[in-house]
Amino acid sequence: VVKGSTSLTVVVFLSHRLSKATGKMVENSPSPLPERAIYGFVLFLSSQFGFILYLVWAFIPESWLNYIGLTYWPQKYWALAVPVYLLITIVIGYVLLFGMNMLSTCPLNSVNTITDNYAKSQQRKKYQEEAVPALRDVCISEVNQMFFLEAKELSTNN
Amino acid sequence: MENEQSFSDICGGRLALQRRYYSPSCREFCLSSPRLSLRSLTVVTSTVWLAAYGLFTVCENSVVLSAAIFITLLGLLGYLHFVKIDQETLLIIDSLGIQMTSSYASGKESTTFIEMDKVKDVIINEAIYMKVIYYLCILLKDPVEPHEISQVVPVFQSAKPRLDCLIEVYRSCQEILAHQKAPSTSPQAHQKAPSTSPSIQKASIVSRGK
């Protein structure tokens, strides 16, 4: 394990030196850095240790743990209860997210289906000939007239 | 002049639209849903009574049966009086206002009247209901700020017709509202038209062409 970690950090150091030599900016890039390699390895080791500890706590009988001297550990009931609670929370989270979506949908008689603060306070740019018009929020009356009143002439021409 | 046409609502049921043109400035649109069918009534009643009988065989208490009968009767009366809307009418009178009437299956009628001063426009809006639906609504002006929309009043809420029916009603309403707007705002309309209409027409031609 130690050999693997040293070779990994050597590889990361070399790639970091190479990218610095070519003059690239590495502050905000997602490329591997020595610090990131160390963080990742620490996380890996601690998660493995946590898992082994959880297995030890769940499987070794209480009397053996007391014999070693570890008397004040939580009840083994929690070794089953916590994973079950976590899974049920995830399932309820799906249902809750759907429910919150339904709650925050505007009712049909709300003004938010027509306009909002940004559309009300937008500035009108001057119309220039031969130029593409500026992007703006079109009033719903105009949109309706374009879709439903003029479509008759277009469809009868076709 | 009277005209009757058959449309469908968003769930696929049949609707009948009746148009009455009383005068060039007064029109009425009447959407009728089908009446409460005997088939659905027997289905609901038999399921409730069968469930009550099942409960009775489990708990051996005859109160369950009489309670089921009461619930069915009261539920039917309440549904007919408060929920089931048979006909919805939109009456639009130029320079006076817009009146909406809902008549329930028990004969009750509820009416709402909106003065023409408060009406900004009648539009077809799209919104999310359980899927995306089109519905006709009346936009009301803000008394303080005349170009702002203060309230949205949806119409035909229980009939929920589809877009083809809504387009018919929308065009008729716009003809009447155009009479109402034209004499007072024609000089301003001529000034605004060059700035907005060519860009909108270009956009519409481009989109239709594709």
Side-chain angles (χ1 to χ4, degrees), chain A residues 19-143:
Chain A
S19 53
K20 266 205 161 167
T22 55
K24 278 198 301 189
M25 300 284 286
V26 296
E27 279 99 6
N28 292 329
S29 71
S31 62
L33 294 174
E35 297 91 18
R36 289 176 182 171
I38 293 172
Y39 298 155
F41 194 57
V42 164
L43 257 178
F44 167 72
L45 279 182
S46 54
S47 65
Q48 293 287 63
F49 174 69
F51 184 56
I52 302 292
L53 188 67
Y54 171 76
L55 288 180
V56 160
W57 167 48
F59 283 109
I60 294 188
E62 190 91 24
S63 50
W64 292 16
L65 290 176
N66 287 347
Y67 179 71
I68 300 174
L70 309 162
T71 54
Y72 204 62
W73 277 20
Q75 278 183 332
K76 287 180 190 292
Y77 161 79
W78 294 108
L80 280 180
V82 168
V84 174
Y85 271 127
L86 204 64
L87 286 174
I88 299 293
T89 309
I90 291 173
V91 170
I92 290 185
Y94 276 110
V95 178
L96 253 182
L97 188 67
F98 181 69
M100 282 183 61
N101 253 333
M102 305 273 283
L103 262 183
S104 58
T105 305
C106 313
L108 290 185
N109 62 348
S110 133
V111 186
N112 290 325
T113 54
I114 308 270
T115 179
D116 65 355
N117 289 332
Y118 298 106
K120 280 185 204 164
S121 61
Q122 64 183 341
Q123 327 263 311
R124 288 178 169 246
K125 298 220 171 91
K126 275 193 67 91
Y127 175 71
Q128 293 164 342
E129 283 290 337
E130 303 283 331
V132 177
L135 189 71
R136 70 178 177 96
D137 195 40
V138 183
C139 168
I140 181 139
S141 308
E142 292 176 20
V143 173

Side-chain angles (χ1 to χ4, degrees), chain B residues 52-206:
Chain B
Y53 186 71
L55 205 59
F56 168 70
T57 50
V58 165
C59 71
E60 302 290 330
N61 193 358
S62 65
V63 172
V64 171
L65 294 175
S66 22
I69 296 177
F70 270 132
I71 287 173
T72 320
L73 273 178
L74 290 176
L76 178 67
L77 289 177
Y79 176 74
L80 289 180
H81 193 67
F82 295 113
V83 176
K84 178 91 181 61
I85 295 184
D86 266 345
Q87 217 181 50
E88 278 177 309
T89 314
L90 183 76
L91 173 68
I92 176 162
I93 305 178
D94 184 18
S95 80
L96 191 64
I98 303 181
Q99 174 173 286
M100 285 132 13
T101 314
S102 312
S103 24
Y104 290 81
S106 64
K108 172 174 110 164
E109 284 194 7
S110 99
T111 316
T112 316
F113 179 73
I114 303 174
E115 290 145 22
M116 208 40 112
D117 292 338
K118 289 193 192 148
V119 169
K120 184 163 193 276
D121 204 0
V122 172
I123 55 155
I124 298 179
N125 192 18
E126 286 175 62
I128 296 176
Y129 183 65
M130 276 295 168
K131 46 182 183 173
V132 178
I133 61 165
Y134 292 96
Y135 63 104
L136 194 75
C137 53
I138 304 176
L139 301 179
L140 302 186
K141 284 182 209 167
D142 203 6
V144 176
E145 181 80 40
H147 290 291
E148 303 246 322
I149 299 166
S150 79
Q151 221 185 332
V152 170
V153 179
V155 299
F156 298 142
Q157 278 297 89
S158 80
K160 295 194 187 74
R162 282 200 177 152
L163 188 61
D164 42 5
C165 176
L166 290 178
I167 291 180
E168 300 290 333
V169 181
Y170 172 75
R171 287 206 184 119
S172 291
C173 290
Q174 285 295 321
E175 283 170 20
I176 294 201
L177 290 176
H179 292 164
Q180 192 237 333
K181 281 181 191 154
S184 57
T185 59
S186 46
Q188 286 147 351
H190 283 302
Q191 275 173 16
K192 276 190 187 157
S195 66
T196 53
S197 51
S199 57
I200 293 173
Q201 279 168 8
K202 274 185 205 162
S204 69
I205 289 168
V206 164

